[in-house]
Amino acid sequence: MTQALGIDIGGTGIKGAVVDVKSGELVIERIKIATPPGGEPDAIVETVIQLVERLGGIDKKAAVGVCFPAAVVDGVTLSAANVSDKWIGLEAERLFEKALKRDIHFINDADAAGVAEQRYGAARKVKGLAILTTLGTGIGTALIHRGHLVPNAELGHLEIDGVDWETRAAYSAMERENLSWEVWAGRLQKYYERLEAYLYPELFIVGGGVSKHAEKFLPLMSLRTPIVPAVLRNNAGILGAAALASDM
Ligand code: BGC
């Protein structure tokens, strides 16, 4: 079956759509519901059930992929930067399988976005290392080497000047502190320079909602590595989660 359901749980919104995993296109319009305040497991599960109902339920044969803003190993969430601490050590995949009464595939949100950009978007032609970064509530990162995902890179939490840099350079920091594009780009410059110095990538891809304003901040940075906006914008998580689920 080439259709699969992708659900992307984020710090501010939970989005879902049915996608065609062959073409990488959404086959129905995306639905978004606000993430419940506090990001507690039960409330998020409840919102995902509502989302699935609004999407018209799930075809029995369709694979279901869910992505989430935490490190995920064997279906267990091992971190919780912008959601409730109750996620740490939680059997998240099992929790959603019980609630949705079917198998699902559960992964990190940036990893899902990275896989989508590799299959359908900006990283398609990269031969070496592509690093996808999502600038949103947090900073998500995905490492794609020669077409393969190295999962759970949590490089949004790189410490610079003794600070978890996500708290200074995520898009939420720009909004919270009312930063100009110039000041924010200065913080991003420091961040991408550090990634360059450690990993020597072939390409940086910048995702997250703010990537639609890429012309406002990418030209303000000066890096050795080419840096481009994500092609799939805010649908990358949905697409990657669905694509990986249908591989299983
Ligand atoms: C989390 C990552 C996530 C990123 C983007 C970070 O705070 O630690 O797991 O990918 O936010 O949502």
Side-chain angles (χ1 to χ4, degrees), residues 15-141:
K15 301 173 284 215
V18 175
V19 310
D20 181 321
V21 292
K22 247 191 163 156
S23 64
E25 274 156 23
L26 268 50
V27 297
I28 53 162
E29 215 179 305
R30 181 179 95 170
I31 292 182
K32 181 172 176 177
I33 306 184
T35 305
E40 302 257 331
D42 289 350
I44 288 189
V45 168
E46 197 43 54
T47 310
V48 168
I49 292 173
Q50 276 172 32
L51 181 82
V52 167
E53 277 166 11
R54 281 180 49 193
L55 286 166
I58 312 171
D59 184 308
K60 273 203 204 96
K61 288 193 224 116
V64 180
V66 179
C67 67
F68 188 81
V72 182
V73 177
D74 293 335
V76 178
T77 35
L78 295 179
S79 66
N82 293 298
V83 284
S84 151
D85 282 352
K86 292 191 181 146
W87 289 95
I88 300 174
L90 193 73
E91 297 215 19
E93 186 170 88
R94 269 250 289 273
L95 185 71
F96 283 95
E97 285 183 336
K98 263 199 192 154
L100 298 173
K101 301 187 179 66
R102 52 169 303 133
D103 282 352
I104 65 149
H105 186 53
F106 195 83
I107 53 160
N108 171 263
D109 57 353
D111 282 350
V115 166
E117 289 295 332
Q118 192 270 321
R119 291 195 189 185
Y120 316 112
R124 248 176 321 173
K125 298 202 174 112
V126 177
K127 295 204 185 71
L129 175 67
I131 303 184
L132 169 107
T133 56
T134 60
L135 305 175
T137 311
I139 297 183
T141 55

Side-chain angles (χ1 to χ4, degrees), residues 94-222:
R94 269 250 289 273
L95 185 71
F96 283 95
E97 285 183 336
K98 263 199 192 154
L100 298 173
K101 301 187 179 66
R102 52 169 303 133
D103 282 352
I104 65 149
H105 186 53
F106 195 83
I107 53 160
N108 171 263
D109 57 353
D111 282 350
V115 166
E117 289 295 332
Q118 192 270 321
R119 291 195 189 185
Y120 316 112
R124 248 176 321 173
K125 298 202 174 112
V126 177
K127 295 204 185 71
L129 175 67
I131 303 184
L132 169 107
T133 56
T134 60
L135 305 175
T137 311
I139 297 183
T141 55
L143 304 183
I144 307 283
H145 185 243
R146 298 196 171 175
H148 295 284
L149 172 72
V150 181
N152 291 312
E154 284 285 330
L155 297 169
H157 301 292
L158 260 186
E159 268 190 29
I160 303 180
D161 302 337
V163 183
D164 174 346
W165 207 242
E166 154 177 299
T167 63
R168 308 291 309 281
Y171 180 57
S172 60
M174 182 191 188
E175 290 187 307
R176 193 174 54 244
E177 297 180 48
N178 237 321
L179 303 178
S180 63
W181 290 107
E182 287 72 18
V183 172
W184 187 51
R187 295 184 183 183
L188 292 174
Q189 170 76 29
K190 271 188 156 179
Y191 178 64
Y192 288 103
E193 263 175 16
R194 189 63 67 94
L195 290 181
E196 257 184 348
Y198 289 153
L199 290 159
Y200 292 87
E202 184 177 323
L203 182 70
F204 284 126
I205 302 164
V206 181
V210 71
S211 61
K212 63 174 176 278
H213 302 299
E215 81 290 349
K216 296 246 173 40
F217 62 99
L218 294 189
L220 303 178
M221 287 192 266
S222 165

